[in-house]
């Protein structure tokens, strides 16, 4: 019972904050008499969203597609690299500096290179989304794998467990909470990557749509694009949170008990 | 024939049973060059099959290092270590190991945690898929019952107390019928009463199975209660200063630990370790030393 009250209070507060934010925005624009060329009101944005939906949908689909494909490839590569780096000291020492170097390059800067190689369009967006989400996954998975208790490793080694046995039975499950924490960061980053690439070099996608809308001063449509992106980001974040809870519930059980 | 099959009489099978573990001037040096630290001076030691040997000594003297060598986690820097008659790595014997830290896997329930070695060690490994729900499950449950954890198989580690986790840890070290059990302060973090209860359980397990045990402990009562032999080590670099036979009949019980001969043994051991800690490494061998 207490738990239910707790949930209502938590969720209630955040819902109220979100609603309050939009109400404030609406009222602020009305009172200060701000033109919709500068900052449209939420109601105008929703109206634009409905009005232009048939035009927005293909762009939404395109962005979702590039983001998810890039993200999936990024997750696979990140997971494999993370396992490699986390389970071998040599790989850690050799590959880590390179990885840090790569990750500190602003990802926007690589878009022109991808365009040079593959031409404008879908591929650069996918690659940018992919490259931007690799790093957090590698770092988290490597940390989870490298921090297995030495005593546990000793126990496994005296059982003559192979590296693969240890990886499969101990290191990988153990790194899952780290992995999912990284996934939630990575999915939002992947959107950043694909939208940036679309903005710079594509004729499809939400990013491209926003560019065109802004050059024709259709500001409500620009903001409608933002709303779509926020909605997609939140939806995927929630999806991964749910999967995380199912897969790595063991890491949360303690706090669960404390809350009941 | 196992010498401790007979539950009374002399506790030491040493004279009869073949040698199971042999250290031949084995030493360990950690690090290299200027930073090299000799943790263990060249040491020779023989442990017979089925024996129960305790290692005691000041902190940092190399007790865990010895266990790691026997468990094939470390190779000696010099000398040789033979287990089961061959140099380490040569023949596959089954080893169980338990540390003070229970290191149960938080995502598995207690039964699956205890079953883990069966998933890895041959010949169980090959049959794991077919027997995990049947024979292996019964085997684990029987073991859990033996250590007082009946009915806790479905629970997760975080639902157990420290003492209960340590019992499960002991089960995990024993489930694959090891020939050799390595215990590194397994009861160190427990309260006095749980610890004494686990001594009795440990003794029963050892009496009922055919296995050799090496136990590292800081608790001299524990060493004297459980072991047939107690090796006292000097401070670093570790050497074996003294090798005491504990000549008390089995099964032992807590009352015996208050008897004069038990107390006297404890005092002798204590005096030796105090001497070793003093850094001189010179110990007056007390009268009655075997
Ligand atoms: N990996 C290592 N690298 C360098 N030195 C080490 C390493 N492991 C242990 N040592 C050193 O070797 C010595 C013996 O260590 P060991 O762990 O065997 O001691 P111990 O007898 O088990 O001590 P304790 O009773 O405190 O557990 C210690 O002085 C320690 O500093
Ligand atoms: Mg130790």
């Amino acid at each position: 019972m207490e738990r239910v009250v707790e949930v209502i209070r938590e969720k209630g507060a955040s819902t109220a904050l979100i609603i309050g934010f939009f109400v404030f925005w609406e009222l602020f624009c009305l009172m200060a008499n701000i033109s919709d060329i500068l900052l449209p009101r939420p109601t105008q944005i929703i109206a634009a969203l409905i009005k232009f939906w048939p035009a927005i949908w293909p762009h939404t689909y395109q962005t979702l597609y590039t983001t998810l494909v890039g993200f999936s490839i990024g997750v696979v590569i990140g997971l494999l690299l993370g396992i490699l780096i986390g389970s071998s000291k040599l790989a850690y020492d050799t590959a880590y500096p390179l990885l840090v170097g790569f990750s500190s390059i602003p990802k926007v800067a690589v878009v022109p290179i991808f365009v040079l190689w593959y031409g404008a369009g879908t591929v650069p967006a996918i690659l940018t989304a992919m490259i931007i989400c690799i790093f957090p996954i590698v770092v988290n998975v490597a940390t989870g794998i490298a921090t297995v208790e030495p005593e546990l490793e000793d126990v496994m080694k005296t059982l003559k467990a192979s590296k693969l046995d240890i990886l499969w039975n101990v290191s990988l499950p153990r790194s899952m909470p780290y992995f999912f924490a990284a996934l939630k960061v990575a999915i939002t980053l992947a959107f950043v990557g694909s939208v940036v690439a679309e903005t710079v070099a594509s004729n499809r996608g939400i990013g491209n749509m926003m560019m065109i809308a802004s050059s024709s001063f259709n500001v409500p449509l620009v903001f409608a694009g933002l709303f779509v992106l926020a909605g997609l980001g939140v939806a995927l974040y929630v999806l991964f949170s749910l999967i995380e809870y199912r897969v790595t519930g063991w890491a949360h059980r303690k706090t669960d008990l404390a809350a009941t | 024939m196992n010498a401790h099959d007979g539950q009374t009489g002399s506790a030491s099978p040493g004279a009869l049973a073949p040698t199971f573990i042999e250290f031949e001037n084995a030493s360990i040096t950690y690090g290299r060059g200027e930073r090299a630290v000799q943790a263990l001076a060249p040491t020779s030691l023989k442990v017979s099959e089925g024996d129960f040997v305790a290692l005691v000594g000041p902190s940092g003297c190399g007790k865990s290092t010895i266990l790691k060598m026997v468990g094939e986690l470390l190779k000696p820097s010099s000398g040789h270590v033979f287990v089961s008659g061959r140099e380490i790595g040569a023949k596959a014997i089954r080893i169980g190991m338990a540390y003070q830290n229970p290191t149960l896997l938080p995502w598995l329930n207690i039964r699956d945690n205890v079953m883990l070695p069966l998933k890895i060690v041959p010949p169980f490994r090959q049959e794991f898929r077919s027997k995990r729900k049947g024979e292996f499950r019964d085997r684990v449950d029987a073991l859990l019952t033996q250590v007082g954890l009946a009915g806790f198989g479905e629970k997760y580690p975080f639902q157990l107390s420290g003492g209960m986790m340590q019992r499960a840890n002991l089960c995990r070290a024993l489930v694959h019928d090891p020939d050799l059990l390595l215990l590194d302060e397994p009861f160190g973090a427990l309260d006095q009463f749980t610890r004494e209860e686990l001594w009795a359980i440990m003794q029963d397990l050892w009496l009922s199975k055919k296995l050799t045990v090496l136990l590292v402990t800081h608790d001299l009562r524990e060493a004297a209660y459980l072991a047939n032999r107690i090796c006292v080590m000097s401070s670093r670099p570790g050497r074996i200063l003294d090798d005491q036979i504990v000549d008390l009949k089995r099964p032992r019980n807590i009352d015996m630990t208050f008897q004069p001969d038990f107390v006297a043994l404890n005092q002798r051991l204590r005096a030796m370790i105090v001497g070793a800690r003093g850094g001189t490494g010179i110990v007056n061998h007390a009268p009655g030393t075997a």
Side-chain angles (χ1 to χ4, degrees), chain B residues 56-270:
Chain B
V56 298
S59 184
C61 69
K63 303 183 294 292
S64 302
T65 302
I66 288 189
L67 279 202
K68 284 186 182 156
M69 274 200 279
V70 178
E72 303 181 21
L73 301 167
L74 272 180
K75 275 207 161 37
S77 312
S78 72
H80 303 274
V81 174
F82 302 97
V83 177
S84 190
R86 319 244 188 117
E87 192 143 12
I88 54 172
K91 186 195 167 198
I93 57 155
R94 289 204 291 265
I95 304 177
M97 189 165 205
Y99 279 103
Q100 174 172 347
N101 175 359
T103 62
L104 299 174
L105 306 177
W107 56 89
L108 295 180
N109 66 25
I110 296 303
R111 183 180 292 124
D112 291 339
N113 259 294
V114 173
M115 226 183 260
L116 184 68
L118 300 181
K119 201 171 173 183
I120 289 167
V121 177
F124 307 102
R125 186 190 178 105
Q126 286 77 8
E127 306 165 326
F128 186 75
R129 271 162 183 277
S130 55
K131 293 193 176 166
R132 62 183 299 186
K133 296 247 162 67
E135 191 186 318
F136 287 177
R137 190 192 152 106
D138 297 341
R139 183 194 188 97
V140 169
D141 286 354
L143 208 52
L144 286 174
T145 307
Q146 231 174 325
V147 301
L149 280 182
F152 282 90
E154 309 283 337
K155 294 261 191 274
Y156 283 82
F158 76 95
Q159 295 169 308
L160 266 57
S161 71
M164 292 158 100
M165 284 198 250
Q166 201 49 267
R167 288 165 204 251
N169 187 18
L170 212 53
C171 291
R172 186 178 63 185
L174 285 166
V175 71
H176 54 298
D177 269 340
D179 310 291
L180 173 62
L181 183 61
L182 303 174
L183 302 172
D184 199 339
E185 300 175 40
F187 315 123
L190 305 178
D191 70 277
Q192 184 76 36
F193 298 101
T194 308
R195 199 183 308 169
E196 287 172 358
E197 196 190 334
L198 281 170
W199 293 351
I201 290 171
M202 188 63 239
Q203 175 175 245
D204 288 345
L205 286 168
W206 175 70
L207 288 171
S208 65
K209 293 181 198 288
K210 190 178 154 88
L211 86 163
T212 314
V213 185
L214 266 186
L215 166 75
V216 167
T217 178
H218 284 286
D219 185 340
L220 300 177
R221 282 180 72 221
E222 177 172 306
Y225 182 111
L226 283 172
N228 288 341
R229 255 173 81 192
I230 302 177
C231 296
V232 183
M233 294 181 62
S234 72
S235 50
R236 199 182 73 201
R239 291 182 299 116
I240 293 178
L241 289 178
D242 197 78
D243 203 335
Q244 295 258 352
I245 301 262
V246 185
D247 207 358
L248 301 169
K249 71 174 178 40
R250 298 211 185 242
R252 299 174 189 160
N253 55 44
I254 290 300
D255 288 340
M256 289 168 74
T257 67
F258 302 111
Q259 301 296 323
D261 47 348
F262 192 96
V263 174
L265 172 67
N266 258 304
Q267 280 168 343
R268 274 204 310 275
L269 292 169
R270 206 186 123 73

Side-chain angles (χ1 to χ4, degrees), chain A residues 88-166:
Chain A
S88 144
K89 174 116 177 56
L90 182 70
Y92 187 95
D93 290 342
T94 45
Y96 215 75
L98 188 68
L99 205 65
V100 172
F102 264 122
S103 77
S104 49
I105 299 172
K107 302 302 175 300
V108 196
V110 298
V111 178
I113 300 174
F114 289 146
V115 173
L116 198 69
W117 289 345
Y118 299 102
T122 306
V123 179
I126 289 178
L127 289 180
T128 316
M130 174 198 92
I131 230 172
I132 208 169
C133 61
I134 287 181
F135 188 66
I137 294 176
V138 172
V139 171
N140 272 274
V141 171
T143 306
I145 287 182
T147 52
V148 170
E149 297 96 324
E151 288 98 342
L152 185 54
E153 231 177 295
D154 282 359
V155 169
M156 296 297 285
K157 281 185 191 156
T158 50
L159 295 173
K160 315 257 173 13
S162 66
K163 285 220 154 192
L164 202 64
D165 284 331
I166 297 181

Side-chain angles (χ1 to χ4, degrees), chain A:
Chain A
M1 200 51 221
E2 253 171 62
R3 175 114 183 92
V4 174
V5 175
E6 182 111 332
V7 166
I8 290 175
R9 214 176 36 189
E10 267 171 31
K11 297 278 182 296
S14 62
T15 313
L17 185 68
I18 292 168
I19 293 176
F21 171 75
F22 285 112
V23 170
F24 173 80
W25 178 352
E26 184 85 25
L27 292 179
F28 176 77
C29 289
L30 279 175
M31 309 254 242
N33 208 5
I34 293 176
S35 142
D36 65 354
I37 300 283
L38 280 180
L39 180 65
R41 285 178 275 124
T43 44
Q44 291 174 313
I45 298 170
I46 304 278
L49 199 56
I50 294 167
K51 182 175 155 201
F52 295 114
W53 183 247
I56 295 175
W57 167 243
H59 292 296
T60 307
Y61 176 80
Q62 169 74 9
T63 300
L64 193 60
Y65 168 75
T66 53
T67 306
L68 286 183
V69 172
F71 172 76
S72 311
I73 302 174
V75 167
V76 172
I77 296 179
L79 193 58
L80 292 179
L81 270 181
I83 290 171
L84 186 72
I85 289 179
S87 46
S88 144
K89 174 116 177 56
L90 182 70
Y92 187 95
D93 290 342
T94 45
Y96 215 75
L98 188 68
L99 205 65
V100 172
F102 264 122
S103 77
S104 49
I105 299 172
K107 302 302 175 300
V108 196
V110 298
V111 178
I113 300 174
F114 289 146
V115 173
L116 198 69
W117 289 345
Y118 299 102
T122 306
V123 179
I126 289 178
L127 289 180
T128 316
M130 174 198 92
I131 230 172
I132 208 169
C133 61
I134 287 181
F135 188 66
I137 294 176
V138 172
V139 171
N140 272 274
V141 171
T143 306
I145 287 182
T147 52
V148 170
E149 297 96 324
E151 288 98 342
L152 185 54
E153 231 177 295
D154 282 359
V155 169
M156 296 297 285
K157 281 185 191 156
T158 50
L159 295 173
K160 315 257 173 13
S162 66
K163 285 220 154 192
L164 202 64
D165 284 331
I166 297 181
L167 184 71
W168 190 248
N169 290 296
V170 177
S171 317
L172 259 191
R174 200 193 120 78
S175 68
M176 279 302 110
Y178 296 84
F179 174 64
F180 276 99
L183 278 194
K184 291 192 290 185
V185 176
I187 188 64
T188 44
L189 284 179
F191 270 110
V192 174
S194 56
V195 171
V196 162
E198 287 165 359
T199 312
V200 178
S202 179
N203 49 10
R204 273 187 302 166
I206 297 284
N208 173 254
M209 183 195 82
M210 284 165 68
M211 278 294 284
I212 293 172
S214 81
S215 60
S216 59
F217 295 101
N218 189 349
V219 183
L221 184 57
V222 175
F223 276 84
L226 278 188
F227 273 34
V228 169
L229 288 177
L232 289 178
V234 170
L236 287 171
Y237 185 95
V238 169
L239 180 69
F240 283 116
S241 300
L242 291 177
I243 301 176
E244 170 183 28
Y245 200 82
R246 298 220 60 178
V247 176
T248 67
W250 56 268
H252 303 285
R253 276 190 198 121
K254 255 183 200 140
T255 50
D256 243 21
L257 268 198
T260 42

Side-chain angles (χ1 to χ4, degrees), chain B residues 10-81:
Chain B
S10 171
S12 176
L16 303 167
T19 303
F20 190 61
I21 302 169
E22 182 167 5
F23 279 56
E24 221 180 72
N25 291 317
S27 78
I28 284 278
T29 305
Y30 286 110
R32 279 198 194 130
E34 302 216 332
R35 299 174 134 222
V37 176
Q38 190 174 43
L40 190 69
T43 298
S44 294
L45 172 72
K46 278 187 185 176
V47 176
S48 350
E49 197 168 339
D51 212 349
F52 197 135
V53 176
L55 291 169
V56 298
S59 184
C61 69
K63 303 183 294 292
S64 302
T65 302
I66 288 189
L67 279 202
K68 284 186 182 156
M69 274 200 279
V70 178
E72 303 181 21
L73 301 167
L74 272 180
K75 275 207 161 37
S77 312
S78 72
H80 303 274
V81 174

